Amino acid sequence: MRARAVIGSIVLVLSAALAACGEEQDTIKAGDLIQASADDQFKDGKVATVTLPTGRLLIHTAEPVDSATGDDTRTRQAVDAPSGAVLVPISWQYDPWDQGRLERIVDSSDTPIVDLVTDEERYRLPPPELGDEGGESFYVVVDGEAEDRSLEIEFDGVTQSVNLANGRTDAGDAAALYDIGDDALQKTSCDDDERWFDSVTVSAEFTCDRFGPVLTPYAAGEWAPEGSLWLALTVQTEMRIYAEANLLGGGARFVATDVTVKPDIDGDEPTFVISADNDDDTCPSPLTTACGWSKTLIFEVLADDAEQGPLDLDVAYRMKVAIAWGGHIPPKRMKVEASEEIKLWDD
């Protein structure tokens, strides 16, 4: 009797365990995500790239399946889609812009909102991880056969869509993002002592550099108005030492205490001005006494006539004398001004 009781107890425990497994399988429902075993598990499927203001989202997707084996899931457990549902496989990887490229122009910490749309059903997906170098792979449980399936990716109110059945992308109002080349913000010098200052009596340790311009539909955390684009570039100037001579063997050396820069294109001031918020935009620098100015300038231009320019810069420095020689008696303080036209586009 005691042996029969033990055997009966074992049968009850196994039955309960099997029932629990069945209940766990039954809890899988439409909208659930099941992590795949590999980060790039579906890379042989359809491929699409979605360009966002903050980077690119590379998407791979395969045909819907009824089940996934234990080798295909992160938990190493086989998963069957519920009755009347399928599993949609997706791999994606979010590639943010390279450091120093567009993040200051974009000036946004928004993340995309992603919906999987199938047969008129909509499933909200967690956004891709920004710093995940390996990407993510997962199955989405959806009702129906998911013959028509797409991803809708919204960023700050503008939506793009990807047809997962054929990999085609509809960029919508974000289309101009795809025209931004990888070399869009190359550094170009815009300083020349003979142009900025009188080289006969003045010697200035002065530099000017620009990065860009770039034409983008999104900048400073905003989409451009309809029919417009943003023309954006970064300009950096630095005055280290300004010296003047009196042509009689005397002279003086000055350091800048403040700088004012007025940029415009054909008389129009920038819509947004974003500071570098570092030593490049400090005057005077507490370490070097150099006077730095570094701003990202964003102008609204017509989309069908976007390559505007040149950029006019009016620069004014407030100076104080540091040293004088040769009997020269300079003013203790003075103002130095310069103006220049900076060409933005190649002919």
Side-chain angles (χ1 to χ4, degrees), residues 27-57:
T27 61
I28 296 175
K29 61 186 182 303
D32 285 351
L33 266 65
I34 300 164
Q35 294 298 320
S37 60
D39 292 334
D40 58 351
Q41 190 154 316
F42 312 117
K43 63 181 180 180
D44 294 330
K46 297 294 182 181
V47 182
T49 299
V50 178
T51 301
L52 301 168
T54 50
R56 294 186 179 99
L57 181 60

Side-chain angles (χ1 to χ4, degrees), residues 79-99:
V79 175
D80 294 325
S83 177
V86 293
L87 310 178
V88 176
I90 296 174
S91 291
W92 63 25
Q93 183 175 0
Y94 195 35
D95 180 23
W97 299 125
D98 292 338
Q99 188 71 18

Side-chain angles (χ1 to χ4, degrees), residues 39 57 102 119 150 164 168-169 183 195 210 224 242 250 254 262-263 324 331 333 342:
D39 292 334
L57 181 60
L102 286 177
D119 301 326
S150 62
L164 298 183
R168 294 176 187 154
T169 300
D183 60 349
R195 293 191 300 163
R210 67 173 173 88
Y242 182 91
F254 299 81
K262 295 182 178 180
R333 295 186 180 274
I342 298 174

Side-chain angles (χ1 to χ4, degrees), residues 176-191:
L177 287 172
Y178 293 75
D179 297 329
I180 300 175
D182 290 336
D183 60 349
L185 293 181
Q186 286 186 330
K187 179 179 177 180
T188 303
S189 176
C190 51
D191 64 87

Side-chain angles (χ1 to χ4, degrees), residues 8-144:
S9 298
I10 293 173
V11 170
L12 288 174
V13 170
L14 288 175
S15 299
L18 291 172
C21 290
E23 289 173 3
E24 183 178 350
Q25 176 68 44
D26 291 341
T27 61
I28 296 175
K29 61 186 182 303
D32 285 351
L33 266 65
I34 300 164
Q35 294 298 320
S37 60
D39 292 334
D40 58 351
Q41 190 154 316
F42 312 117
K43 63 181 180 180
D44 294 330
K46 297 294 182 181
V47 182
T49 299
V50 178
T51 301
L52 301 168
T54 50
R56 294 186 179 99
L57 181 60
L58 178 63
I59 301 168
H60 293 80
T61 182
E63 292 292 325
V65 295
D66 295 322
S67 62
T69 69
D71 291 335
D72 293 330
T73 65
R74 188 70 52 88
T75 61
R76 298 300 180 184
Q77 293 182 345
V79 175
D80 294 325
S83 177
V86 293
L87 310 178
V88 176
I90 296 174
S91 291
W92 63 25
Q93 183 175 0
Y94 195 35
D95 180 23
W97 299 125
D98 292 338
Q99 188 71 18
R101 184 167 183 263
L102 286 177
E103 68 271 9
R104 196 201 296 187
I105 288 174
V106 169
D107 195 31
S108 174
S109 58
D110 281 11
T111 56
I113 299 172
V114 184
D115 286 334
L116 173 62
V117 181
T118 66
D119 301 326
E120 299 182 357
E121 296 292 335
R122 183 177 294 268
Y123 306 93
R124 178 62 48 88
L125 306 183
E129 296 291 336
L130 292 181
D132 192 345
E133 294 183 359
E136 303 169 87
S137 291
F138 50 88
Y139 298 89
V140 186
V141 184
V142 302
D143 287 327

